[in-house]
Amino acid sequence: MLNNVLGLFAAWAAYHLALAYENGRGCRKSLAKAKRWYGFAAREGFASAQVNLGAILAQMGRRMNSLRMFQRAANLFRGAARAGNRNAAYNLGFYYRDGIGVRRSARWAAHWFGVAARGGDRDAKRALRCLGRQERLGGQRGLSRPQRAVKRARG
C-alpha cells in the first residue's frame, strides 16, 4: 500500500514539475524536460499527464509530419480516456473522425465523443451532432452503421 501511495505522489509531483517546465513557471521553459516528466507521470498511469504528453507528441507530429508521433499520441489519449479523462476522449474522437494516427472510423469517433459528452463536455456534444449530420448527408436511406453508433453514443 505504501508503494502505491508513493507511486501516486511521485506521479503527481512529476506532473506538476512538467507543467512548470512547459509553462516556464519558476524555471526556464523547456519542452524537452516537460516531455520527460510527463512521460514519467504517464507511465505511472496519471491520466492528465497522458493527455498533456499526447498533446506535445501531436504538436511534434504536426511539425515533423510524423505518423509515429500521432500514433503514440493516440495511444496516450486512449489510456487516459479509458481512465475517465473526458479531454482525452474528445481528442480521440477527432483522431478517429479524421484518421489521425488511427484508422478512420465514424463508429469509434462517435464512441469517444459520446464518452466525453456523457462526461459533460459541450464541445463533444456538438462534435457528436456534427458527426451524425455528416453521416446523414452521405445520401444513404435509413440509418447507416455509423449513424446507429452516433445514436447509441448519445444515449
Side-chain angles (χ1 to χ4, degrees), residues 25-87:
R25 284 188 304 212
C27 58
R28 186 184 304 204
K29 192 172 185 175
S30 171
L31 205 55
K33 289 181 181 179
K35 183 180 162 202
R36 184 172 58 226
W37 287 109
Y38 280 139
F40 174 81
R43 282 188 299 278
E44 291 294 320
F46 204 80
S48 295
Q50 291 172 333
V51 173
N52 289 6
L53 180 57
I56 289 173
L57 292 175
Q59 287 174 357
M60 291 172 67
R62 277 189 292 278
R63 216 174 17 248
M64 297 168 28
N65 196 23
S66 169
L67 175 63
R68 184 160 161 48
M69 291 294 179
F70 286 119
Q71 289 170 334
R72 289 177 62 199
N75 286 334
L76 287 163
F77 290 147
R78 191 176 297 109
R82 287 180 178 152
N85 187 297
R86 71 179 186 197
N87 292 330

Side-chain angles (χ1 to χ4, degrees), residues 9-148:
F9 178 74
W12 177 86
Y15 171 74
H16 285 280
L17 186 58
L19 280 175
Y21 277 119
E22 183 178 16
N23 298 309
R25 284 188 304 212
C27 58
R28 186 184 304 204
K29 192 172 185 175
S30 171
L31 205 55
K33 289 181 181 179
K35 183 180 162 202
R36 184 172 58 226
W37 287 109
Y38 280 139
F40 174 81
R43 282 188 299 278
E44 291 294 320
F46 204 80
S48 295
Q50 291 172 333
V51 173
N52 289 6
L53 180 57
I56 289 173
L57 292 175
Q59 287 174 357
M60 291 172 67
R62 277 189 292 278
R63 216 174 17 248
M64 297 168 28
N65 196 23
S66 169
L67 175 63
R68 184 160 161 48
M69 291 294 179
F70 286 119
Q71 289 170 334
R72 289 177 62 199
N75 286 334
L76 287 163
F77 290 147
R78 191 176 297 109
R82 287 180 178 152
N85 187 297
R86 71 179 186 197
N87 292 330
Y90 179 70
N91 290 342
L92 202 51
F94 275 107
Y95 273 46
Y96 276 105
R97 186 195 72 183
D98 297 339
I100 301 170
V102 294
R103 177 170 276 143
R104 178 177 276 163
S105 170
R107 181 176 149 254
W108 280 108
H111 170 77
W112 290 114
F113 282 142
V115 168
R118 285 189 298 277
D121 191 306
R122 280 188 266 164
D123 291 332
K125 290 176 185 177
R126 188 176 15 258
L128 198 54
R129 281 194 304 273
C130 289
L131 186 63
R133 201 170 20 256
Q134 286 173 355
E135 292 302 320
R136 280 193 298 281
L137 294 176
Q140 296 182 2
R141 297 189 141 240
L143 288 179
S144 67
R145 188 172 172 188
Q147 283 176 316
R148 288 191 301 271

